Amino acid sequence: MPLLEPKPEALRPAPTGGAAPDRVPPERAGGTPEPLRGDLIALLGADKVLHTVSDLVRYASDASPYHFVPQVVVLAEDIDDVSAVFSYAHGKGRHVVLRAAGTSLNGQAQGEDILVDVRRHWRGVEVLDGGARARIRPGTTVLRANAALARHGRVLGPDPASAVACTLGGVVANNASGMTAGTTRNSYRTLASVTLVLPSGTLVDTAEPDADDRLAHAEPELCAGLLRIKATIEADAELVARIRAKYTLKNTNGYRLDAFLDGATPVEILRGLAVGSEGTLAFVAETVFDTLPLERYPVTALLFFPTLRAAAAAVPGFNDAGARAVELMDGNTLRASVSVAGVPADWAQLPKATTALLVEFRESDEPGAAARLEAAGRLLEGLELVAPVASVTNAFTRDPAVVGGYWKARKAFVTAVGGSRPSGTTLITEDFAVPPQRLADACAALLELQARHGFDAAVAGHAAHGNLHFLLAFDAARPDDVARYAAFMDEFCALVTGRFDGSLKAEHATGRNIAPFLEREWGPRATELMWRIKRTLDPHGILAPRVLLDRDPKAHLRGLKTLPTVEAIADPCIECGFCEPTCPSEDLTTTPRQRIVLRREMLRQPPVSRVTDALLDAYGYDAVDTCAGDSTCKLACPVGIDTGALMKDFRHRRHSPREERAAALAARHFGRVERAARLAVAAAGHLDDRWLTRVTDAARKAVRPDLVPRWLPQIPGAAARKLPATERTAATAVYYPACVNRIFGGPAGDTGPSLPEAVVTLARRAGTPVWIPPDVTGTCCATIWHSKGYDRGTVVMANRTVEVAWGWTAGGRLPLVVDASSCTLGIAREVVPYLTPAHRALHAELTVVDSVVWAARELLPRLEVHRRTGSAVLHPTCSMQHLGDEAELRRVAEACAEEVVVPDDAGCCAFAGDRGMLHRELTESATALEAAEVAAREWDAYLSANRMCEVGMDHALGAPRYRSVLTELERATRPDGG
């Protein structure tokens, strides 16, 4: 055992009293039982089978109120793996649930037996026909697919609010639509073809010309069964009329019966049935979508009305005028949205009855948008608008920042309202649809029903389509609260189907919560046909039992999820999964959501628990050590949950007092540490990389892998011993070379100036000279300590650096220009909680500016570009995302190169200072997709804004290529011919 191995006990949560009803039972502490575990490892290989209790628990939650722990998780890599699992399940009488993003709101992504992950190895977009179509793999997010299509001026029809996280496999399986898709732009209408793996293992590509012949040969009974169902439906004129009428509204409840009316052959019927089938009929292995024109010029307004009824009365006018979206938010929703960054704080004072409509028109060109802006303003005449708080404008705008803020508030409905729920309560998210002309009555009836059952009312939705969403919070550990929820659901389903003849599910798919009520909406004839469809395609019932069809009238009350109170920073989490695509460890260990899910399971357990012991044993590496700490999860989370900060706190909890003292000592004597580090790097340049790797590996085993970095061949050589000479007189800014740029030099073989030399040269060239303080050595942004949870060291360095920076800048009169984006973030924001009151006052007077931002705003206007390279690929750092500096990085790069590209798969490199050396597998996993995209072609320049991020990308590419964009700018503006 390493000398300083942290003790798992340091992270054991304090006892909460009793055990939760949905806790993992003690017999599951050993993970997947035999022979299931051994069978699947023999069938697929050990690397494709996740079997520890930690693995199973982290997959036991999605964005729904349900909690089902699988017996095993399979990481399927290809169609052969999926077919093999289907065959195994058939032979052994087992069940299979398919899971992609896990953003489903009604338990569709949860299973109690074999769970198959079809996200990790199932990503990819191929743009076809100049963008008119796109071939998309099921693990690809909507956001990623649209990024590829945007270059061609195209976009997908479905636009769910969870586009940042939900995948196309789930979008098709749930027929998710969103703000603008309605009934004409959803998956059912825009899916050109689909490749399916049937429960029997048969592969069907509906685009193949001979697909029907092949299917008839492979599955004659299935084909005959589908055609018999088609004949049954078509022979019943009343049923045909009912089906057609049902789909004039948004409807995802049950199977798409209109597939039998729209499709003439078994394959055509299958294409339609796959949409909205929730993984119960087949695996969607690939999709081909017909795309739509990307209307890049929105004209948008957020309009406030005194009552919900007044807002609803305005909807038809906007629909008639051609609005692409008309979104409704009631008063409770608006007030809860103040937890979302950028939402005006005065919304908290909005009257309870206030209701807002987010109205958007979209145009394809600038003249059309200008004309629309003028015409849209006239639509407001005669409307009953109010401005109860100062931030309300009630006007159409084209300002991208304002429009983006409106949509951010709208899309955060579930997470913002859900995040404000009472701690310890479970969240139910439901949606339904009524005829649009009855929207106001439906809203009023829903709010009355919620109030009568004691639920806080909150309603939002796609008003243009009569589609409303609402949330319920209750304590799933209390039988009386569960009974209250059950009574509400009974009355709600009767209200929607009886009074309004609406859809119990408009776009979230049936799921476990509505499956017991399917017949109440569709009636016995149509419901029995759905059971026939299931038996025809899945005669052995292996796929997703009880997800879409369930005869148990109380099935929606089974497996309800408790949400024990966890650390305050994470407690608002509703497990929506929006954070996962941005997480660097997503494909390696755990995601932010899973880190919280695991923590909650520990708190469901009794004080003495074998399950908790097993979870703690894995949590150190899986959750704490392999968290990059980049906090991009905070940016993705609509309510700003910073799981990275929580993991840093956990690192701190694991430190012994001796470790904290040592870290503080290193901070006090950082000048010596810095000089020693530079000398060590210089010496390493003369030694064999393999020898250095063996030595550091041995030290890691002896001490602790999370303390001793592993040598990587891509580590650059040492920086120059002396920084460039500068003068304080006439300096327009104080230049702060970060310690990483004082220790490490540029890429191997780079003959150009170092970064500090380039910055000083650029400043002189622009006539805005900078000054480097002579006592900069020994100071640091404190990220070295902060990222590892060494609080005492952080306090020492944070206060020292702020104090000297205040002096260097003459009390804040000069800006402090920092040449590493992570260090800019550290000094500007992250040191603040560690400052004394006196030093916090000094910090408030500082102006901390990233060197790239400074170059874009202050230098570029004063510089002349003499030469530009052909192409440049950019790696925006996660710190730049936090600082909002990505546009400036692009602006500087565009001054240097004819073509500038940010890869669609760009993300945090996870090098995180030295974490990529502590856990190289983290960086390798985090950069895999971006590196593959970058390596697909040659670039003239590889540019970024942080030395260690550049090293991380070099490691991903296997060669030293990345360098600072400022060194490229120096070359581009050099007057001597370069």
Side-chain angles (χ1 to χ4, degrees):
M1 177 179 289
L3 181 64
L4 298 177
E5 184 73 11
K7 304 298 187 292
E9 286 300 308
L11 301 183
R12 185 179 293 275
T16 57
D22 61 328
R23 68 189 180 279
V24 176
E27 60 269 19
R28 300 291 304 277
T32 302
E34 296 290 0
L36 178 60
R37 172 182 167 183
D39 286 351
L40 289 177
I41 288 175
L43 181 67
L44 303 168
D47 59 331
K48 297 179 184 178
V49 181
L50 302 181
H51 54 79
T52 70
V53 68
S54 181
D55 294 330
L56 306 183
V57 167
R58 63 191 174 96
Y59 276 92
S61 184
D62 58 10
S64 80
Y66 295 101
H67 183 222
F68 293 104
V69 182
Q71 293 288 328
V72 68
V73 176
V74 171
L75 301 175
E77 288 189 5
D78 51 34
I79 285 173
D80 288 343
D81 287 346
V82 174
S83 296
V85 172
F86 285 2
S87 177
Y88 176 81
H90 176 203
K92 299 292 185 178
R94 307 200 73 108
H95 300 132
V96 178
V97 167
L98 303 159
R99 178 189 176 109
T103 57
S104 53
L105 294 166
N106 273 278
Q108 299 98 309
Q110 293 186 53
E112 300 170 78
D113 197 359
I114 301 173
L115 188 72
V116 181
D117 181 315
V118 290
R119 178 200 57 82
R120 184 176 298 188
H121 299 293
W122 297 85
R123 289 174 286 206
V125 183
E126 180 186 2
V127 178
L128 307 171
D129 303 333
R133 294 183 303 137
R135 188 185 309 279
I136 310 173
R137 305 195 76 205
T140 308
T141 66
V142 174
L143 184 71
R144 174 64 178 84
N146 279 336
L149 287 168
R151 295 194 180 99
H152 303 269
R154 307 292 291 184
V155 69
L156 293 174
D159 65 334
S162 57
V164 66
C166 69
T167 61
L168 268 298
V171 167
V172 171
N174 293 300
N175 197 20
S177 50
M179 275 68 67
T180 66
T183 58
T184 60
R185 297 160 60 102
N186 60 17
S187 294
Y188 188 79
R189 300 300 177 193
T190 61
L191 184 68
S193 66
V194 63
T195 299
L196 302 171
V197 180
L198 301 181
S200 61
T202 298
L203 186 68
V204 182
D205 181 353
T206 66
E208 291 292 333
D210 60 347
D212 274 297
D213 292 339
R214 291 185 181 186
L215 184 61
H217 181 265
E219 303 273 358
E221 283 300 314
L222 184 151
C223 291
L226 291 177
L227 292 176
R228 283 194 295 268
I229 296 172
K230 176 178 174 64
T232 299
I233 292 174
E234 291 179 336
D236 189 334
E238 184 181 354
L239 181 58
V240 170
R242 178 65 174 162
I243 291 170
R244 289 301 189 193
K246 288 296 291 179
Y247 291 112
T248 60
L249 296 180
K250 293 176 71 171
N251 193 322
T252 59
N253 196 15
Y255 294 125
R256 289 287 309 211
L257 293 180
D258 57 346
F260 292 92
L261 303 177
D262 298 332
T265 70
V267 167
E268 291 176 0
I269 293 169
L270 268 181
R271 188 215 67 85
L273 276 179
V275 179
S277 61
E278 304 176 48
T280 64
L281 301 180
F283 165 51
V284 176
E286 189 173 80
T287 64
V288 176
F289 275 86
D290 291 324
T291 66
L292 300 168
L294 175 58
E295 298 160 319
R296 299 179 185 271
Y297 299 88
V299 176
T300 312
L302 187 63
L303 307 174
F304 288 75
F305 296 82
T307 64
L308 198 153
R309 189 170 293 277
V315 172
F318 292 119
N319 283 345
D320 294 343
R324 180 66 70 199
V326 184
E327 297 293 297
L328 180 145
M329 294 179 278
D330 78 342
N332 282 348
T333 300
L334 292 166
R335 288 191 297 276
S337 297
V338 298
S339 63
V340 178
V343 170
D346 62 4
W347 284 15
Q349 278 72 55
L350 286 169
K352 184 175 182 180
T354 303
T355 303
L357 292 180
L358 174 54
V359 181
E360 183 164 283
F361 297 90
R362 295 178 187 171
E363 300 294 337
S364 57
D365 56 34
E366 182 70 33
R372 176 66 73 178
L373 181 63
E374 183 178 349
R378 292 194 293 269
L379 294 174
L380 305 183
E381 297 172 5
L383 294 182
E384 192 180 353
L385 299 174
V386 295
V389 295
S391 65
V392 172
T393 62
N394 287 327
F396 279 93
T397 180
R398 295 183 56 202
D399 185 326
V402 175
V403 172
Y406 290 163
W407 279 109
K408 189 174 183 182
R410 168 60 189 93
K411 292 180 178 181
F413 165 65
V414 172
T415 47
V417 178
S420 63
R421 77 196 189 288
S423 181
T425 58
T426 296
L427 190 71
I428 299 277
T429 305
E430 276 304 341
D431 85 305
F432 67 104
V434 299
Q437 65 271 21
R438 304 195 67 186
L439 178 69
D441 290 339
C443 286
L446 174 64
L447 293 173
E448 186 278 329
L449 184 65
Q450 288 177 303
R452 183 151 42 85
H453 286 274
F455 290 108
D456 288 335
V459 177
H462 316 308
H465 311 293
N467 178 193
L468 295 173
H469 302 253
F470 65 91
L471 306 175
L472 306 175
F474 66 98
D475 188 344
R478 290 176 47 192
D480 60 326
D481 240 18
V482 173
R484 179 167 64 102
Y485 155 66
F488 171 88
M489 284 302 298
D490 284 340
E491 287 197 48
F492 163 73
C493 292
L495 175 74
V496 173
T497 59
R499 180 174 169 184
F500 295 102
D501 193 20
S503 308
L504 286 174
K505 278 294 187 178
E507 61 178 2
H508 293 167
T510 313
R512 298 176 185 272
N513 201 36
I514 294 297
F517 303 100
L518 181 63
E519 185 172 331
R520 185 173 295 187
E521 175 177 341
W522 278 99
R525 282 183 300 170
T527 303
E528 188 51 42
L529 284 172
M530 294 182 190
W531 281 97
R532 278 180 63 185
I533 292 168
K534 174 67 171 172
R535 290 192 297 269
T536 300
L537 271 83
D538 186 16
H540 302 287
I542 69 168
L543 289 183
R546 309 192 73 171
V547 165
L548 189 149
L549 297 171
D550 200 323
R551 298 192 191 276
D552 179 2
K554 295 185 177 181
H556 59 305
L557 307 179
R558 190 178 72 92
L560 288 171
K561 174 172 61 180
T562 62
L563 290 180
T565 299
V566 293
E567 285 77 10
I569 194 171
D571 195 54
C573 177
I574 61 167
E575 302 175 6
C576 69
F578 283 23
C579 56
E580 294 192 334
T582 192
C583 180
S585 58
E586 176 189 26
D587 291 336
L588 178 67
T589 50
T590 57
T591 66
R593 170 170 63 174
Q594 291 173 339
R595 290 175 170 97
I596 296 171
V597 164
L598 289 164
R599 195 69 178 165
R600 281 177 169 155
E601 184 56 47
M602 296 178 200
L603 286 157
R604 290 188 185 104
Q605 296 292 320
V608 178
S609 165
R610 289 190 290 129
V611 171
T612 300
D613 293 344
L615 294 179
L616 283 171
D617 284 342
Y619 200 77
Y621 176 78
D622 286 352
V624 181
D625 294 344
T626 52
C627 173
D630 63 306
S631 294
T632 51
C633 52
K634 178 182 179 180
L635 300 178
C637 176
V639 292
I641 295 171
D642 190 347
T643 313
L646 178 62
M647 294 303 108
K648 292 171 188 174
D649 179 60
F650 284 169
R651 290 170 189 166
H652 172 66
R653 295 189 201 182
R654 296 190 309 181
H655 295 156
S656 67
R658 181 177 61 175
E659 289 179 277
E660 282 287 331
R661 288 194 298 271
L665 184 65
R668 291 190 188 95
H669 300 283
F670 187 62
R672 298 176 190 173
V673 173
E674 179 184 330
R675 285 187 286 270
R678 198 197 68 79
L679 288 172
V681 171
H686 301 287
L687 300 173
D688 180 69
D689 284 333
R690 289 173 295 181
W691 183 82
L692 287 168
T693 301
R694 287 196 297 271
V695 169
T696 54
D697 283 352
R700 285 161 59 81
K701 290 180 181 178
V703 181
R704 176 174 153 194
D706 207 48
L707 282 179
V708 180
R710 188 174 196 258
W711 180 260
L712 301 177
Q714 289 76 28
I715 297 298
R721 190 169 60 86
K722 291 186 177 181
L723 291 165
T726 58
E727 295 182 4
R728 187 168 192 171
T729 305
T732 62
V734 175
Y735 171 32
Y736 183 76
C739 64
V740 67
N741 293 320
R742 304 193 303 259
I743 295 171
F744 296 104
D750 187 357
T751 58
S754 67
L755 176 57
E757 289 170 339
V759 171
V760 170
T761 299
L762 283 168
R764 287 173 180 161
R765 194 174 291 162
T768 55
V770 295
W771 173 61
I772 301 175
D775 55 343
V776 70
T777 300
T779 63
C780 174
C781 66
T783 300
I784 294 173
W785 294 268
H786 173 59
S787 65
K788 294 178 173 61
Y790 288 111
D791 285 5
R792 289 181 60 178
T794 304
V795 167
V796 170
M797 186 55 71
N799 285 278
R800 176 198 294 171
T801 298
V802 166
E803 184 171 328
V804 295
W806 187 84
W808 294 335
T809 61
R813 285 191 287 274
L814 293 177
L816 184 72
V817 176
V818 184
D819 67 2
S821 57
S822 61
C823 302
T824 307
L825 180 66
I827 297 174
R829 298 183 188 177
E830 292 179 343
V831 300
V832 174
Y834 299 91
L835 299 176
T836 66
H839 286 89
R840 193 168 294 188
L842 299 182
H843 184 273
E845 297 182 12
L846 296 178
T847 300
V848 183
V849 184
D850 187 78
S851 57
V852 174
V853 175
W854 176 70
R857 296 176 182 174
E858 303 296 331
L859 303 188
L860 269 182
R862 298 177 171 89
L863 293 170
E864 182 179 354
V865 175
H866 295 280
R867 67 198 61 79
R868 299 173 80 197
T869 194
S871 62
V873 62
L874 296 188
H875 174 73
T877 69
C878 52
S879 298
M880 300 193 89
Q881 293 181 48
H882 284 283
L883 293 165
D885 295 347
E886 293 169 286
E888 282 82 359
L889 175 65
R890 178 179 279 276
R891 192 180 311 158
V892 174
E894 287 174 344
C896 304
E898 299 289 342
E899 178 194 13
V900 174
V901 174
V902 175
D904 290 335
D905 287 312
C908 176
C909 68
F911 211 83
D914 64 353
R915 193 143 297 269
M917 300 166 69
L918 298 172
H919 300 287
R920 59 183 293 180
E921 67 278 12
L922 176 60
T923 286
E924 289 166 357
S925 177
T927 56
L929 293 176
E930 182 179 357
E933 195 175 345
V934 171
R937 58 169 282 192
E938 283 296 319
W939 306 87
D940 295 312
Y942 299 75
L943 306 175
S944 189
N946 189 292
R947 191 69 195 98
M948 299 319 289
C949 297
E950 294 154 16
V951 172
M953 288 306 300
D954 286 347
H955 180 64
L957 294 175
R961 296 191 172 183
Y962 277 85
R963 56 197 172 92
S964 171
V965 69
L966 296 184
T967 62
E968 185 65 21
L969 181 64
E970 191 283 324
R971 190 196 73 83
T973 59
R974 193 182 304 161
D976 61 3

